[in-house]
Amino acid sequence: GAWSRLTPVRALKCNDIMLAASIAAALAALSVARPAVIGSEASRQALAHIHHTSSPHRRAALHAGLSLLSASLCFPPLAARAATITGDVGRKCTTASTPSATTVTCQGYGLAGGRVRSCAADEACLSTSAISNPSKFAPPWSPISAQEAADAARAWRSVAAAVAEEPGLRIVEQDDGGRYLRATGPSAVPTDGTDDVEFVLRDDGGVRLLYRSATRQSVFLYPLQQPVSNQQSHIDRLASIRRRLGWEEAGLPVDGPDLGRAMGDRYSVPTVTRWFGLELGGMRVPDEED
């Protein structure tokens, strides 16, 4: 057994008992204890030897130490269930650790209220729903051609074809009735990880495409507290799909006379002068009296 290889049975003395008790306490404190299993004849002989050479208190301590140490050596650790990075238990996250890194694996795909989900603070992700996280927000896409803008079914066929032709992606879920699809592909970091890329087409108030691209695995290298960066791979892949599709980002003009008209056309805002008292030329300040 593993224990007999580490410590000869006849060499067990007071120091060994104290060490075993310390190991038992440490393992219990770290919550890695397993059911008491003494899996070898040598371990049973060790227990019998202690019964005849130690006091009851020392025997109890060594019993606990041998049981916990044997279990920890004989049984591989299980993947620990984790609260997700964002605290949302619905994302189904697990953690796995090695001496050099911790990998958090989450499955955060799926629709919420007819929209793609947002992005966790510490995951490599872009989403049209990440409005509270500017570094992970991406604007919706809209068709340029009048035919696709007027025909949502035609626009959806174009989206599905563009995703299917993207190298490395494979469509694993497609609902043409709900105009939703999810594709998976290899991630850049880690190289054996998985990216989920989702699209849903909405045509309430104009055809627009919502999407989310995220890596399931977040890798934390010790002693760093932030995961290894992987954002650019999502930016590049989505840009490739949009170029193939030939659509535009549904943004607004940065400035100029077209801003007011665009706000009214796209978001039913009568005029920008009504936004917190701001106007295109800036906030109007009354002239100071002499």
Side-chain angles (χ1 to χ4, degrees), residues 96-107:
S97 296
T98 67
S100 61
T102 292
T103 301
V104 180
T105 302
C106 300
Q107 298 182 27

Side-chain angles (χ1 to χ4, degrees), residues 15 18 27 73 143 175 188 225 259 273:
N15 290 339
M18 295 176 64
L27 291 176
L73 290 172
D175 178 7
Q225 299 299 315
L259 178 58
T273 59

Side-chain angles (χ1 to χ4, degrees), residues 100-104 122 189-190 192 217-221 226-229:
S100 61
T102 292
T103 301
V104 180
D122 292 338
V189 178
D192 59 348
Q217 295 81 12
S218 297
V219 180
F220 297 80
L221 299 178
Q226 295 295 322
V228 179
S229 177

